[in-house]
Amino acid sequence: DWTVSNASAPVVVGVDGSKASITAVKWAIDEAVSRDVPLRLVHVTHIEEQPAAPEDAFRLDVQYAEAALRAASAAVKATGKKPVTVETQILWGPPDTALIDESHGAAMVCVGSLGIGPIARKLLGSTAATLAEKASCPVAIIRTPHDAPAGDTDPIVVVVEDHPDNDSVIEHGMAEARLRKAPVLAVGV
């Protein structure tokens, strides 16, 4: 069910320090502004629990997470777009599980993706594919910009399935396409 009861639920972006995650952060700014909600940047460490982790691994992971979140916050400011409230947080555990947990209180979850391949896990990456399948809110998987001719707009891809709640998936995809003045590519599964 994609209904978020809190109208001020944030747009959550998974940040891992990669160029793909910065691209997702920049994409998500318009989404947060259009909904008038905060942009929540989260970095998920692979350490399961803070106290159980060796001190050096814990310290290095925290430093990397803080640096990734600072870079993502700086990227938001550098766009010069309409101001948006930015929240940051470090989460602990497997990335897919942490982002699925975040989806319960989010308006949308965004992640970046670098992959190109013939099947979803190769195309989207395992975290993105799992998130798209199991999240409790819409998920935006943002591909890193490619060498498209200037002026071309990448389509909003919507999966069309024979499920009762697929109408809301299509509605969200159409709303995104209108917001971004982009074409819609409907993919049957």
Side-chain angles (χ1 to χ4, degrees):
D1 182 18
W2 280 11
T3 306
V4 176
S5 58
N6 183 354
S8 62
V11 172
V12 174
V13 184
V15 174
D16 64 5
S18 68
K19 181 179 178 181
S21 72
I22 296 297
T23 299
V25 167
K26 291 176 182 177
W27 185 93
I29 296 168
D30 291 336
E31 191 64 40
V33 168
S34 74
R35 295 170 184 258
D36 194 26
V37 298
L39 183 62
R40 180 171 162 78
L41 309 177
V42 299
H43 176 89
V44 184
T45 71
H46 294 278
I47 296 176
E48 294 288 333
E49 292 182 27
Q50 298 163 318
E55 189 173 322
D56 285 344
F58 173 75
R59 186 172 31 82
L60 290 174
D61 267 14
V62 169
Q63 289 173 349
Y64 183 82
E66 289 171 345
L69 291 169
R70 274 193 307 274
S73 295
V76 171
K77 289 178 186 163
T79 65
K81 291 185 177 184
K82 183 177 175 180
V84 63
T85 301
V86 176
E87 304 169 350
T88 61
Q89 186 168 3
I90 299 171
L91 305 175
W92 305 91
D96 52 355
T97 302
L99 291 172
I100 290 166
D101 289 348
E102 281 288 308
S103 77
H104 298 298
M108 173 180 279
V109 177
C110 302
V111 291
S113 177
L114 290 170
I116 291 179
I119 58 175
R121 292 209 183 271
K122 295 246 185 236
L123 177 66
L124 305 174
S126 61
T127 297
T130 301
L131 185 60
E133 182 181 344
K134 297 182 179 179
S136 296
C137 68
V139 174
I141 302 167
I142 311 305
R143 300 275 317 277
T144 299
H146 54 282
D147 297 327
D152 281 1
T153 304
D154 285 337
I156 302 296
V157 179
V158 179
V159 176
V160 179
E161 295 180 292
D162 189 18
H163 289 281
D165 63 348
N166 197 234
D167 288 349
S168 65
V169 172
I170 295 168
E171 275 181 45
H172 284 284
M174 297 301 285
E176 287 303 315
R178 280 190 296 278
L179 174 66
R180 300 171 190 293
K181 296 177 177 59
V184 174
L185 174 60
V187 178
V189 178

